[in-house]
Structure formats: C-alpha cells, structure tokens
Amino acid sequence: MEIDWNSEGVAELISTIKLDHHAVNLIYGTDAHISAVPPGRRADNYQETILSKLQFWASTCSKYHGVGLFGGDLFHSKKPKAQGNTLSLISSVIKVFQAFPLNKIFSIPGNHDIVWDLMESLPHQPLGVLIASGVCHNLVSSPIIFTNRDETISVLVEGYPYCDETVLLPLILDAPPRPQGVTYRIALLHAYGHPDAENATFGNTGIPYNPIGYPALAETDYDFVCWGHDHSRKETITVGNVTHIHLGSLARAALNMDEVDRPVSLALLSFSEKGMAYKELPIPVKPLEVIFTTADKGMEKIGNKTGEMSAFFSVMDEAVEGIESSDALEVLRALTDDDSIFDKAVEICEL
C-alpha cells in the first residue's frame, strides 16, 4: 500500500479494520526498551523479562478481545547493529507480536527506534524489520479506524512522528476534524507532556525542559491522548476535551524513583454503545532487589582509586583543551586514531 505524506511527515491515508466484538477495545502500553544487553544496573535476564511483559500484553489483548497500541521505543539501542539488537531478539519479538489479535500491534516509532531523530531511518532499524514483516503497523504513516462487528462504533487512532515538542504541538493543533462517521478519536504521542507545563521539571533532577501542557490540547478534537517517551507516571486526568494517559514505561530500565517507584500498567480503552471507558491493567513485575544492583558496577571496580581517577581526568582535560569543535564525532576522532576504539565509543554512546 502506498502512503502519501504531507510536508510534516504525517500520513493522509486512513484504513479501516472491522473487529469481531461488540466493543472496540484498545490496550495501550509504551517504552519497552527491549535489548539483548541489559541497560544500566539491571541484574536479571533483561531480555526475557521484557519479552514476558510483551507476552502478558498479548494475552491481555486476547482476554479482552482487544488490539495492542504502543507509544514508541520498542527497542533500546538506536544503532541497528548494536550488540543489543540481535537477530535472535528481533525474531523473538516477531513471534510475540504474532500472538496478538490481528497478529500484530499498532505503534508509533520512538526516538530509540530511529537514528539521529530521523523518521527516514526507520526502514533500516529493528522496528523497520518488524513493520516490513507485518507484525507492527506504523500509525504515523497510516492511521486506522477500528469498528466493532455491528459497525455502530468507530475509533480513529492516529500516530504523530517523533520530533521536538515545539514542532509537534502545531501539528496537533492544526489536525483536521475527525472524518464524518468517526465516533471517537485517539492520538499517540512520543513526547514530553505534563499537566502543568509551566512548573514542570524533568523527573526529580530539577533540570528544566519544555513539555506540552495538557491545557494546550484542551480544545483539540481528541477523546484520548496516549503519551510515551517520559518513563515516569502521571495520573490519568481529563483536561477540556481530552483524557490523558501517561502511565510510564513498561520497562524499568534505570534505577531512579521516576522509573521504579510506581506501578507498571497497561491502559484498556473501551468503546461501545454505552460510551467510552478506561481501566488500568497492572503488569506483574519482579521486586526491585531482584532486577537491580544497587551499587554502580563501575564504581565497585574503581573502589578507592580516587588518585587514578583524578589523574585520568587531568589527562583528558589536557587532551581536549585544544579541540574547538563541538561535534561529538569530531572530538572523538581527535582523541583517538584507533578505528576499533572509535567505532566502539560511537556504538556505546549511540552517536
């Protein structure tokens, strides 16, 4: 199927899928960050842990006769040839997605699913492999209208491309009205959103950022907005026309309170002749003391070698003093002529 894109990279072609159920049930999750290499301080078999969550999601969709919606960052490593993106991992994810109703999920790409924040890189990424295999439908390129078996309810689900929030907000505000006959409308965003954007800080670090405030979307023509990207949880609230779903990531990939001190849940969005309903569906998770090491591995190895560390950073200061470029790749190349070290650093730092 050919897709027509407008100047902002948003699709203009909408398909319809009829579901064999009296209601349209959509089950949303986001930010799985699956990888064959555990991120951060994870001490468990991270790949199997995330796969089990995806399998739970699949069985939950079957239980509720629902369709799986996903808010981006399925994979963790941005580089397609990174050690975390093994062929075995990609094959395992394909098998799980084939177990969903309709044998696929419906998703938007996150910033970890593309390189250099370029949507054009998607076909060459692990997520692009899943899209090409038919187990993942890209809602950015092709929105979907889901109808119930009697065709009395129709739900339009649209995905927006990953981009800076200052670019994304005008795209949402300029969206055309819902097509004639559409009963309900949902938007999936991989972006920072906040109930009170003017007083928002990034997590618990106090670092300022520029999320989209819920009030900015209050008059838009959406019934639900489902947020990805920010791993922390925000309670579900309705502002104006829109109910905001912001439950945080399926993965607990980092050891900080925004990541781990919260329930891990899916969101059931149900639409029927009785109206629309929302329910959280908790995902079983392991205790924190099982999946995380509380001490940083690097610091464990260093121990009390503070003198060696001081000497190392002193040498680094001297090495970079004469480098004027602010480009990370140029700085890295100036520091080493060893191609193997250069390539490894690029991979690890995801440059």
Coordinates of all heavy atoms in Angstrom, one line a residue, residues 210-283:
N210 N 10.8 21.4 28.2 CA 9.7 22.1 27.6 C 8.6 21.1 27.2 O 8.4 20.9 26.0 CB 10.2 23.0 26.4 CG 11.2 24.0 26.8 OD1 10.9 24.9 27.7 ND2 12.3 24.0 26.2
P211 N 7.9 20.6 28.1 CA 6.8 19.6 27.7 C 5.6 20.4 27.1 O 5.5 21.6 27.3 CB 6.5 18.9 29.0 CG 6.7 20.0 30.0 CD 8.0 20.7 29.5
I212 N 4.8 19.6 26.5 CA 3.5 20.1 26.0 C 2.5 20.1 27.2 O 2.3 19.0 27.8 CB 2.9 19.3 24.9 CG1 3.8 19.4 23.6 CG2 1.5 19.7 24.5 CD1 3.4 18.5 22.5
G213 N 1.9 21.2 27.6 CA 1.0 21.2 28.7 C -0.4 20.6 28.3 O -0.8 20.9 27.1
Y214 N -1.0 19.9 29.1 CA -2.3 19.3 28.8 C -3.3 20.4 28.4 O -4.1 20.2 27.5 CB -2.8 18.6 30.0 CG -2.1 17.3 30.4 CD1 -2.5 16.5 31.4 CD2 -1.0 16.8 29.6 CE1 -1.9 15.3 31.8 CE2 -0.3 15.7 29.9 CZ -0.8 14.9 31.0 OH -0.1 13.7 31.3
P215 N -3.3 21.6 29.1 CA -4.2 22.6 28.7 C -4.1 23.1 27.3 O -5.1 23.5 26.7 CB -3.9 23.8 29.7 CG -3.4 23.1 30.9 CD -2.5 22.0 30.3
A216 N -2.9 23.0 26.7 CA -2.7 23.4 25.3 C -3.5 22.5 24.3 O -3.8 22.9 23.2 CB -1.2 23.3 24.9
L217 N -3.8 21.3 24.8 CA -4.6 20.4 23.9 C -6.1 20.3 24.3 O -6.8 19.5 23.7 CB -4.0 19.0 24.0 CG -2.5 18.9 23.7 CD1 -2.0 17.4 23.8 CD2 -2.2 19.4 22.3
A218 N -6.5 21.1 25.2 CA -7.8 21.0 25.8 C -9.0 21.1 24.7 O -10.0 20.5 24.9 CB -8.0 22.1 26.9
E219 N -8.8 21.9 23.7 CA -9.8 22.1 22.7 C -9.6 21.3 21.5 O -10.3 21.5 20.5 CB -9.9 23.6 22.4 CG -10.1 24.5 23.6 CD -11.4 24.2 24.3 OE1 -12.4 23.8 23.6 OE2 -11.4 24.2 25.6
T220 N -8.6 20.4 21.4 CA -8.4 19.6 20.3 C -9.5 18.6 20.1 O -10.2 18.2 21.1 CB -7.0 19.0 20.3 OG1 -6.9 18.1 21.5 CG2 -5.9 20.0 20.3
D221 N -9.6 18.0 18.9 CA -10.6 17.0 18.6 C -10.2 15.6 18.9 O -10.3 14.7 18.1 CB -11.0 17.2 17.1 CG -12.2 16.4 16.8 OD1 -13.1 16.1 17.6 OD2 -12.4 16.0 15.6
Y222 N -9.7 15.4 20.1 CA -9.3 14.0 20.6 C -10.0 13.7 21.9 O -10.2 14.5 22.7 CB -7.8 13.9 20.8 CG -7.0 14.0 19.5 CD1 -6.4 15.2 19.0 CD2 -7.0 12.9 18.7 CE1 -5.7 15.2 17.9 CE2 -6.3 12.9 17.4 CZ -5.7 14.1 17.1 OH -5.0 14.1 15.9
D223 N -10.4 12.4 22.0 CA -11.0 11.9 23.2 C -9.9 11.4 24.2 O -10.0 11.6 25.4 CB -12.0 10.8 23.0 CG -13.1 11.3 22.1 OD1 -14.0 12.1 22.6 OD2 -13.2 10.9 20.9
F224 N -8.9 10.8 23.7 CA -7.8 10.3 24.5 C -6.5 10.8 23.8 O -6.4 10.7 22.5 CB -7.7 8.8 24.6 CG -8.8 8.3 25.6 CD1 -9.9 7.7 25.1 CD2 -8.5 8.2 26.9 CE1 -10.9 7.2 26.0 CE2 -9.4 7.7 27.8 CZ -10.6 7.2 27.3
V225 N -5.5 11.1 24.6 CA -4.1 11.3 24.1 C -3.3 10.3 25.0 O -3.3 10.4 26.2 CB -3.6 12.7 24.2 CG1 -2.1 12.8 24.0 CG2 -4.3 13.6 23.2
C226 N -2.5 9.4 24.3 CA -1.7 8.5 25.0 C -0.2 8.9 24.8 O 0.2 9.0 23.7 CB -1.9 7.1 24.4 SG -3.6 6.5 24.6
W227 N 0.4 9.1 25.9 CA 1.8 9.6 25.9 C 2.8 8.5 26.1 O 2.7 7.6 26.9 CB 2.0 10.6 27.1 CG 1.1 11.8 27.0 CD1 -0.2 12.0 27.4 CD2 1.5 13.1 26.4 NE1 -0.6 13.2 27.1 CE2 0.4 13.9 26.5 CE3 2.6 13.5 25.8 CZ2 0.4 15.2 26.0 CZ3 2.7 14.8 25.3 CH2 1.5 15.7 25.4
G228 N 3.9 8.6 25.4 CA 5.1 7.8 25.6 C 6.3 8.7 25.8 O 6.2 9.9 25.8
H229 N 7.5 8.1 25.9 CA 8.8 8.9 26.0 C 9.2 9.1 27.4 O 10.3 8.8 27.8 CB 8.7 10.2 25.2 CG 10.1 10.8 24.9 ND1 11.2 10.1 24.8 CD2 10.4 12.1 24.8 CE1 12.2 10.9 24.5 NE2 11.8 12.2 24.6
D230 N 8.4 9.8 28.2 CA 8.7 10.0 29.6 C 8.3 8.8 30.4 O 7.2 8.3 30.4 CB 7.8 11.2 30.1 CG 8.1 11.6 31.5 OD1 8.9 10.9 32.2 OD2 7.6 12.6 32.0
H231 N 9.3 8.2 31.1 CA 9.1 6.9 31.7 C 8.4 7.1 33.1 O 8.0 6.1 33.6 CB 10.5 6.3 32.0 CG 11.1 5.8 30.7 ND1 12.1 4.8 30.7 CD2 10.9 6.0 29.4 CE1 12.5 4.6 29.5 NE2 11.8 5.3 28.7
S232 N 8.3 8.3 33.6 CA 7.6 8.4 34.9 C 6.1 8.4 34.7 O 5.6 8.5 33.6 CB 8.0 9.8 35.5 OG 7.7 10.9 34.7
R233 N 5.4 8.2 35.8 CA 4.0 8.1 35.8 C 3.3 9.4 36.1 O 3.8 10.1 37.0 CB 3.5 7.0 36.8 CG 2.0 6.9 37.0 CD 1.7 6.0 38.2 NE 0.2 6.0 38.4 CZ -0.7 5.2 37.9 NH1 -0.2 4.2 37.1 NH2 -1.9 5.3 38.2
K234 N 2.2 9.7 35.4 CA 1.4 10.8 35.8 C -0.1 10.3 35.8 O -0.5 9.5 34.9 CB 1.5 12.0 34.8 CG 2.9 12.6 34.8 CD 3.1 13.6 33.7 CE 4.5 14.2 33.8 NZ 5.5 13.2 33.6
E235 N -0.8 10.7 36.8 CA -2.2 10.1 36.9 C -3.1 10.5 35.8 O -2.9 11.6 35.2 CB -2.8 10.6 38.2 CG -2.1 10.1 39.5 CD -2.0 8.6 39.6 OE1 -3.0 8.0 39.2 OE2 -1.0 8.1 40.0
T236 N -4.0 9.7 35.4 CA -4.9 9.9 34.3 C -5.9 11.0 34.7 O -6.6 10.9 35.7 CB -5.6 8.6 33.9 OG1 -4.7 7.6 33.5 CG2 -6.6 8.9 32.8
I237 N -5.9 12.1 33.9 CA -6.9 13.2 34.1 C -7.5 13.6 32.8 O -6.9 13.4 31.7 CB -6.2 14.4 34.8 CG1 -5.1 14.9 33.9 CG2 -5.6 14.0 36.2 CD1 -4.5 16.2 34.5
T238 N -8.6 14.3 32.9 CA -9.2 14.9 31.7 C -9.1 16.4 31.8 O -9.5 17.0 32.8 CB -10.7 14.5 31.7 OG1 -10.8 13.1 31.6 CG2 -11.4 15.1 30.5
V239 N -8.6 17.0 30.7 CA -8.5 18.5 30.6 C -9.2 18.9 29.4 O -8.8 18.6 28.3 CB -7.0 18.9 30.6 CG1 -6.9 20.4 30.5 CG2 -6.3 18.4 31.9
G240 N -10.3 19.6 29.5 CA -11.1 20.0 28.4 C -11.7 18.8 27.7 O -12.3 18.0 28.3
N241 N -11.4 18.7 26.4 CA -12.0 17.6 25.6 C -11.2 16.2 25.8 O -11.7 15.2 25.5 CB -12.0 17.9 24.1 CG -12.8 19.1 23.8 OD1 -13.8 19.4 24.5 ND2 -12.4 19.8 22.7
V242 N -10.0 16.3 26.4 CA -9.1 15.2 26.2 C -8.8 14.5 27.6 O -8.5 15.2 28.6 CB -7.7 15.7 25.7 CG1 -6.7 14.6 25.4 CG2 -8.0 16.5 24.3
T243 N -8.8 13.2 27.6 CA -8.3 12.4 28.7 C -6.9 12.0 28.4 O -6.6 11.4 27.3 CB -9.2 11.2 29.0 OG1 -10.5 11.6 29.3 CG2 -8.7 10.4 30.1
H244 N -6.0 12.2 29.3 CA -4.5 12.0 29.1 C -4.1 10.7 29.8 O -4.2 10.6 31.0 CB -3.7 13.2 29.5 CG -4.0 14.4 28.8 ND1 -3.2 14.8 27.7 CD2 -4.9 15.4 28.9 CE1 -3.7 15.9 27.2 NE2 -4.7 16.3 27.9
I245 N -3.5 9.8 29.0 CA -3.0 8.5 29.5 C -1.5 8.6 29.6 O -0.8 8.8 28.5 CB -3.4 7.3 28.7 CG1 -4.9 7.3 28.4 CG2 -2.9 6.0 29.3 CD1 -5.7 7.2 29.7
H246 N -0.9 8.5 30.7 CA 0.6 8.8 30.9 C 1.1 7.9 32.0 O 1.4 8.3 33.1 CB 0.8 10.2 31.2 CG 2.2 10.7 31.0 ND1 3.3 10.1 31.5 CD2 2.7 11.8 30.3 CE1 4.4 10.7 31.1 NE2 4.0 11.8 30.4
L247 N 1.1 6.6 31.8 CA 1.4 5.6 32.8 C 2.9 5.3 33.0 O 3.2 4.6 34.0 CB 0.6 4.3 32.5 CG -0.9 4.4 32.4 CD1 -1.5 3.0 32.2 CD2 -1.4 5.0 33.7
G248 N 3.7 5.8 32.1 CA 5.2 5.5 32.2 C 5.5 4.2 31.4 O 4.7 3.5 30.8
S249 N 6.8 3.9 31.5 CA 7.3 2.8 30.6 C 6.9 1.4 31.1 O 6.8 1.2 32.3 CB 8.8 2.9 30.5 OG 9.4 2.6 31.8
L250 N 6.9 0.4 30.2 CA 6.7 -1.0 30.6 C 8.0 -1.5 31.2 O 8.0 -2.3 32.1 CB 6.4 -1.8 29.3 CG 5.0 -1.5 28.6 CD1 4.8 -2.5 27.5 CD2 3.9 -1.6 29.6
A251 N 9.1 -1.0 30.7 CA 10.4 -1.3 31.3 C 10.8 -0.4 32.4 O 10.4 0.7 32.5 CB 11.5 -1.3 30.2
R252 N 11.5 -1.0 33.4 CA 12.1 -0.1 34.4 C 13.6 -0.2 34.1 O 14.4 -1.0 34.7 CB 11.8 -0.6 35.8 CG 10.3 -0.4 36.1 CD 9.9 -1.1 37.5 NE 10.0 -2.5 37.4 CZ 9.9 -3.3 38.5 NH1 9.7 -2.8 39.7 NH2 10.0 -4.6 38.4
A253 N 14.1 0.6 33.2 CA 15.4 0.5 32.6 C 16.5 1.2 33.4 O 17.7 1.0 33.2 CB 15.4 1.0 31.2
A254 N 16.1 2.1 34.3 CA 17.1 2.9 35.1 C 16.7 2.9 36.5 O 15.5 2.9 36.9 CB 17.1 4.3 34.5
L255 N 17.7 3.0 37.4 CA 17.5 3.0 38.8 C 17.3 4.4 39.4 O 18.2 5.0 39.9 CB 18.6 2.3 39.5 CG 18.5 2.0 41.0 CD1 17.2 1.3 41.3 CD2 19.7 1.3 41.6
N256 N 16.1 5.0 39.1 CA 15.8 6.2 39.8 C 14.3 6.2 40.1 O 13.5 5.3 39.6 CB 16.1 7.4 38.9 CG 15.3 7.5 37.6 OD1 14.1 7.6 37.7 ND2 16.0 7.4 36.5
M257 N 13.8 7.0 41.0 CA 12.5 6.9 41.5 C 11.4 7.1 40.5 O 10.3 6.4 40.6 CB 12.3 7.9 42.7 CG 13.2 7.6 43.9 SD 13.3 5.9 44.4 CE 11.6 5.8 45.1
D258 N 11.6 7.9 39.5 CA 10.6 8.1 38.4 C 10.4 6.8 37.6 O 9.4 6.5 37.1 CB 11.0 9.2 37.5 CG 10.8 10.6 38.1 OD1 9.9 10.7 39.0 OD2 11.5 11.5 37.8
E259 N 11.5 6.0 37.5 CA 11.4 4.7 36.8 C 10.8 3.6 37.6 O 10.0 2.8 37.1 CB 12.9 4.3 36.4 CG 13.4 5.0 35.1 CD 13.0 4.3 33.9 OE1 11.9 3.6 33.9 OE2 13.7 4.5 32.9
V260 N 11.2 3.5 38.9 CA 10.9 2.2 39.6 C 9.8 2.4 40.6 O 9.2 1.4 41.0 CB 12.2 1.6 40.2 CG1 13.2 1.4 39.1 CG2 12.8 2.6 41.2
D261 N 9.6 3.5 41.3 CA 8.7 3.6 42.4 C 7.3 3.9 41.9 O 6.8 5.0 42.1 CB 9.2 4.7 43.3 CG 8.4 4.7 44.6 OD1 7.8 3.7 44.9 OD2 8.4 5.8 45.3
R262 N 6.7 3.0 41.1 CA 5.4 3.2 40.5 C 4.9 1.9 40.1 O 5.7 0.9 39.8 CB 5.5 4.2 39.3 CG 6.5 3.7 38.3 CD 6.5 4.5 37.0 NE 7.5 4.1 36.1 CZ 7.3 3.1 35.2 NH1 6.2 2.4 35.2 NH2 8.3 2.8 34.4
P263 N 3.6 1.7 39.9 CA 3.1 0.5 39.3 C 3.4 0.5 37.8 O 3.7 1.5 37.2 CB 1.6 0.7 39.5 CG 1.3 2.1 39.6 CD 2.5 2.7 40.3
V264 N 3.5 -0.7 37.2 CA 3.7 -0.9 35.8 C 2.4 -1.4 35.2 O 1.9 -2.5 35.7 CB 4.9 -1.8 35.5 CG1 5.1 -2.0 34.0 CG2 6.1 -1.3 36.2
S265 N 1.8 -0.6 34.3 CA 0.4 -1.0 33.9 C 0.3 -0.8 32.4 O 1.0 -0.1 31.7 CB -0.6 0.0 34.6 OG -0.4 -0.1 36.0
L266 N -0.8 -1.4 31.9 CA -1.3 -1.2 30.6 C -2.6 -0.4 30.8 O -3.2 -0.3 31.8 CB -1.7 -2.5 29.9 CG -0.5 -3.5 29.6 CD1 -1.0 -4.8 29.3 CD2 0.4 -2.9 28.5
A267 N -3.1 0.2 29.7 CA -4.3 1.0 29.7 C -5.3 0.4 28.8 O -5.1 0.3 27.6 CB -4.1 2.5 29.4
L268 N -6.5 0.0 29.3 CA -7.6 -0.5 28.5 C -8.5 0.6 28.2 O -9.1 1.2 29.1 CB -8.3 -1.6 29.2 CG -9.7 -2.1 28.6 CD1 -9.5 -2.6 27.2 CD2 -10.3 -3.1 29.5
L269 N -8.7 0.9 26.9 CA -9.6 1.9 26.4 C -10.7 1.2 25.7 O -10.5 0.5 24.6 CB -8.9 2.9 25.4 CG -7.6 3.5 25.9 CD1 -7.0 4.4 24.9 CD2 -7.8 4.2 27.2
S270 N -11.9 1.3 26.2 CA -13.0 0.5 25.7 C -14.1 1.5 25.2 O -14.5 2.4 25.8 CB -13.6 -0.4 26.8 OG -14.7 -1.2 26.2
F271 N -14.6 1.1 24.0 CA -15.6 2.0 23.3 C -16.8 1.1 22.9 O -16.6 0.1 22.1 CB -15.0 2.7 22.1 CG -13.8 3.5 22.4 CD1 -12.5 2.9 22.3 CD2 -13.9 4.8 22.8 CE1 -11.4 3.6 22.6 CE2 -12.7 5.5 23.1 CZ -11.5 4.9 23.0
S272 N -18.0 1.4 23.3 CA -19.2 0.7 23.0 C -20.4 1.6 22.9 O -20.2 2.8 23.0 CB -19.4 -0.4 24.1 OG -19.8 0.2 25.3
E273 N -21.5 1.0 22.7 CA -22.7 1.9 22.6 C -23.1 2.5 23.9 O -23.9 3.5 24.0 CB -23.9 1.0 22.1 CG -23.7 0.5 20.7 CD -24.9 -0.3 20.1 OE1 -25.8 -0.5 20.9 OE2 -24.9 -0.7 19.0
K274 N -22.5 2.0 25.0 CA -22.7 2.6 26.3 C -21.7 3.9 26.5 O -21.9 4.6 27.5 CB -22.4 1.6 27.4 CG -23.3 0.4 27.4 CD -23.0 -0.5 28.6 CE -24.0 -1.7 28.6 NZ -23.7 -2.7 29.6
G275 N -20.8 4.1 25.6 CA -19.9 5.2 25.8 C -18.4 4.7 25.8 O -18.1 3.6 25.4
M276 N -17.5 5.5 26.3 CA -16.1 5.1 26.4 C -15.8 4.9 27.9 O -16.3 5.5 28.8 CB -15.2 6.1 25.8 CG -15.2 7.5 26.4 SD -14.1 8.6 25.5 CE -14.1 10.1 26.6
A277 N -14.8 4.0 28.1 CA -14.4 3.6 29.5 C -12.9 3.4 29.5 O -12.3 3.0 28.5 CB -15.1 2.4 30.0
Y278 N -12.3 3.6 30.7 CA -10.9 3.5 30.8 C -10.6 2.6 32.1 O -11.2 2.8 33.1 CB -10.2 4.8 31.0 CG -8.8 4.8 31.5 CD1 -7.7 4.5 30.8 CD2 -8.6 5.1 32.9 CE1 -6.5 4.4 31.3 CE2 -7.3 5.1 33.4 CZ -6.3 4.7 32.6 OH -5.0 4.7 33.1
K279 N -9.6 1.8 32.0 CA -9.2 0.9 33.1 C -7.7 0.6 33.1 O -7.2 0.3 32.0 CB -10.0 -0.4 33.1 CG -9.7 -1.3 34.3 CD -10.5 -2.6 34.2 CE -10.2 -3.6 35.3 NZ -11.0 -4.8 35.2
E280 N -7.0 0.7 34.2 CA -5.6 0.3 34.3 C -5.6 -1.2 34.5 O -6.3 -1.8 35.3 CB -4.9 1.0 35.4 CG -4.5 2.4 35.0 CD -3.5 3.0 36.0 OE1 -2.7 2.3 36.6 OE2 -3.7 4.2 36.3
L281 N -4.6 -1.9 33.8 CA -4.4 -3.3 34.0 C -2.9 -3.5 34.4 O -2.0 -3.4 33.6 CB -4.6 -4.0 32.6 CG -6.0 -3.8 32.0 CD1 -6.0 -4.4 30.6 CD2 -7.1 -4.3 32.8
P282 N -2.7 -3.8 35.7 CA -1.4 -4.0 36.2 C -0.6 -5.1 35.6 O -1.2 -6.2 35.2 CB -1.6 -4.3 37.7 CG -3.0 -3.8 38.0 CD -3.7 -4.0 36.8
I283 N 0.7 -4.9 35.3 CA 1.6 -6.0 34.8 C 2.4 -6.6 36.0 O 3.0 -5.8 36.8 CB 2.5 -5.4 33.8 CG1 1.7 -4.9 32.6 CG2 3.5 -6.5 33.3 CD1 2.6 -4.2 31.5

